[in-house]
Amino acid sequence: MRKIFMPLLIVFMLIIAACGSNNTTNNTSNNSSGNTTTNNSQQEEPANTEPQFVTYESENGPIEVPANPQRVVVLASFNAGSILALGVPVVGVDEWAAGNSNYADKLKDVAIISEDDVEGIINLDPDLIIAAPTTANLDKFKEIAPTITYTYGALDYLSQHVEIGKLVSKEAEAQAWVDDFKARAKQVGNDIKAKHGDDVTVTVIENFAKQMYVFGDNWGRGTEILYQEMGLGMTQKVADMALADGYYALSVEVLPEYAGDFIVLSNDGADNSFKETDTYKNIPAVSNGHVIEANAADFFFNDPLTLEFQLQLFVDGFLGE
């Protein structure tokens, strides 16, 4: 009986092997003719060719950063608007950035964080940190996530936006906005000169913490738009005292010496008593109704979100009826 059973078992195994071979052949044939699909377990997923990290040439040398950052902490407030404008997810900003209402709709779920709160930044689990060279605890932040610093004024304000675009793999998008903005600002400048004269002058003044300042052509507060893009005039006194350093502190008593045909007044609202003085009221720009006012916290920076706000304010202030 055993002698009969063993040959039958061998024959049975050969039949199974043959059937398996035929099924494989049929599947292969059917797949090549498009009648069936390949077994999902055998199909390979396409390789992800997008790098997880890229090398960014920072002001301190090459640094590996995420190719597509998703949790950015911005401790250099003057850079926050660029990151937000480019649609990069932000999880933490400092109080100066948080105070700018131009960012409000983009900061609804974003933490307000301090450079001194290292543990708080750790808890935010950032994949990229943007800071200034003067930011405290930089060495600790570098251990948490790739940390990039920017020196304010090292690049002009529009080049700075493009540079941040490079950092977050959105350079083309940043450059496109820059090109469009420059064209729009130049046109507004031409319209202002057509209405008020080619030699019209404007002075940017800030009243902050009970101190008065005037500004040159590259210190935020709309100065870059007015002087660089629109080509509007600056009074000689402002040029002498504020152009080199970017700003100059002064008293209300000497303000008439600096005032142009228009005044752009950035005000923190803490003390408006200067507006009640005869010195201020008798400035021609004031008596002629040529004062354009803005909340200081919304006016400090020169990022795309703030620049768009400033440009519209100037359109209304210089060209509105």
Side-chain angles (χ1 to χ4, degrees):
M1 183 70 177
R2 179 180 178 85
K3 291 181 180 179
I4 297 174
F5 175 76
M6 289 302 296
L8 289 175
L9 178 62
I10 293 172
V11 170
F12 180 68
M13 292 177 65
L14 289 174
I15 293 172
I16 292 176
C19 289
S21 176
N22 287 338
N23 286 339
T24 301
T25 302
N26 289 337
N27 282 340
T28 303
S29 175
N30 287 337
N31 287 339
S32 64
S33 63
N35 292 329
T36 62
T37 57
T38 304
N39 191 319
N40 289 335
S41 64
Q42 296 176 351
Q43 186 175 2
E44 293 185 2
E45 294 293 331
N48 184 1
T49 58
E50 182 179 352
Q52 293 183 339
F53 286 86
V54 294
T55 301
Y56 174 71
E57 292 294 336
S58 76
E59 62 183 19
N60 297 314
I63 298 178
E64 293 294 303
V65 300
N68 185 27
Q70 295 297 305
R71 299 186 62 81
V72 182
V73 167
V74 186
L75 297 173
S77 52
F78 57 90
N79 294 137
S82 284
I83 290 291
L84 293 170
L86 290 168
V88 178
V90 173
V91 295
V93 296
D94 71 354
E95 62 178 352
W96 289 99
N100 188 337
S101 67
N102 297 301
Y103 307 161
D105 63 332
K106 299 180 184 298
L107 294 179
K108 290 179 181 178
D109 300 316
V110 175
I112 301 175
I113 202 73
S114 164
E115 62 188 22
D116 298 318
D117 188 4
V118 176
E119 184 176 352
I121 293 175
I122 291 174
N123 291 336
L124 291 175
D125 191 27
D127 57 5
L128 179 66
I129 299 173
I130 299 175
T134 55
T135 301
N137 297 309
L138 281 178
D139 289 341
K140 294 179 181 178
F141 296 147
K142 292 175 183 177
E143 295 176 359
I144 300 171
T147 300
I148 302 296
T149 63
Y150 292 108
T151 300
Y152 184 80
L155 296 173
D156 71 73
Y157 75 118
L158 295 178
S159 296
Q160 180 65 52
H161 180 57
V162 175
E163 189 63 28
I164 291 177
K166 292 180 184 178
L167 171 65
V168 296
S169 303
K170 291 179 178 284
E171 181 180 359
E173 183 178 333
Q175 186 63 60
W177 178 85
V178 166
D179 295 341
D180 177 66
F181 178 79
K182 286 175 69 70
R184 287 186 287 124
K186 182 179 180 180
Q187 183 58 56
V188 173
N190 291 339
D191 294 342
I192 291 172
K193 292 175 186 176
K195 182 173 181 178
H196 299 290
D198 288 340
D199 59 350
V200 64
T201 58
V202 57
T203 301
V204 179
I205 302 170
E206 184 171 276
N207 177 46
F208 186 78
K210 299 182 179 181
Q211 176 61 60
M212 196 77 68
Y213 301 88
V214 293
F215 295 89
D217 65 353
N218 65 346
W219 210 257
R221 285 81 176 176
T223 56
E224 292 88 355
I225 302 177
L226 296 167
Y227 300 125
Q228 295 184 37
E229 305 307 330
M230 294 182 179
L232 302 184
M234 177 186 294
T235 66
Q236 189 59 51
K237 194 72 172 180
V238 171
D240 292 342
M241 304 305 294
L243 198 54
D245 293 334
Y247 65 93
Y248 178 71
L250 74 170
S251 65
V252 176
E253 288 72 25
V254 300
L255 194 57
E257 302 174 24
Y258 295 79
D261 301 318
F262 280 81
I263 289 174
V264 173
L265 176 60
S266 171
N267 192 4
D268 68 356
D271 181 9
N272 288 315
S273 60
F274 71 94
K275 292 183 178 181
E276 304 306 319
T277 65
D278 290 338
T279 301
Y280 180 77
K281 289 180 179 180
N282 290 331
I283 294 173
V286 177
S287 59
N288 291 332
H290 288 175
V291 178
I292 303 169
E293 292 198 45
N295 175 30
D298 299 335
F299 219 61
F300 291 140
F301 306 130
N302 51 20
D303 62 88
L305 299 179
T306 305
L307 289 168
E308 292 286 3
F309 166 73
Q310 292 168 345
L311 182 59
Q312 186 58 52
L313 188 72
F314 298 151
V315 169
D316 295 340
F318 285 101
L319 301 174
E321 296 299 327

